[in-house]
Amino acid sequence: MNVIVAVDENWGIGKDGDQLIYLREDLKRFKALTMGHPLILGRKTMATFPGGRPLKGRRNLILSRNPDFAPEGGEVYHTMEELLAQAPEDAFVIGGASVYNALIGQCDTAYVTKIQKEFPADCWFPNLDEDPAWQAEEPSEVMEQDGVRYCYVTYHRVTK
Ligand SMILES: NC(=O)c1ccc[n+]([C@@H]2O[C@H](COP(=O)([O-])OP(=O)(O)OC[C@H]3O[C@@H](n4cnc5c(N)ncnc54)[C@H](OP(=O)(O)O)[C@@H]3O)[C@@H](O)[C@H]2O)c1
């Protein structure tokens, strides 16, 4: 499986239930990379999407323990085991923190947007630079939006 995430310099990913920053080019890249592939996400991350709805053009496999949660256009799974039994190999894990932490061990490729700034954060992604199981490709060129610099780094799992 794949994982896609935007992290700050401390591998922070969110604060108060929302993203640290919205980068327009990064959102376009997210769409291009994930279009046509199933997405795996937690219920709180779906709440941050436009209208709080599943993303179009992709299966949305959403985790929630709430038996009454049934968003139109999404597939809800009440346990990780049920979800994994239905998750194809080309799926993208798209957050949030609880889902990333639970599934990073199942992922082989990580598409990381590295934001060259420290934000106040209350949730984090595992630091792949400190994990010998992961090896980074060369970073992309550095881009900038509103004075915030960022680049893309793809990581590959080299050992289980
Ligand atoms: N920077 C990025 O790339 C990025 C990407 C995505 C999200 N984020 C950020 O991450 C934060 C959200 O992360 P989060 O950890 O608080 O929420 P989350 O992972 O998006 O959703 C958590 C919810 O998912 C459900 N869930 C999780 N594990 C489950 C399991 N094993 N079985 C059944 N249901 C399960 C539960 O839903 P119920 O409560 O309904 O039971 C739980 O409350 C936000 O700040 C968001 O902006 C950042």
Side-chain angles (χ1 to χ4, degrees), residues 23-25 141-151:
L23 297 167
R24 289 180 293 277
E25 289 304 318
E141 60 169 341
V142 175
M143 286 148 287
E144 189 170 332
Q145 176 186 312
D146 307 326
V148 177
R149 291 154 68 84
Y150 62 98
C151 67

Side-chain angles (χ1 to χ4, degrees), residues 5-6 13-15 17-19 42-45 63-66 78-79 94-100 123:
V5 65
I13 62 165
K15 176 96 170 45
D18 207 352
Q19 302 271 352
R43 194 261 310 159
K44 291 184 184 172
T45 289
L63 279 160
S64 173
R65 294 185 180 89
N66 179 352
H78 299 111
T79 67
I94 66 161
S98 72
V99 179
Y100 285 140
C123 54

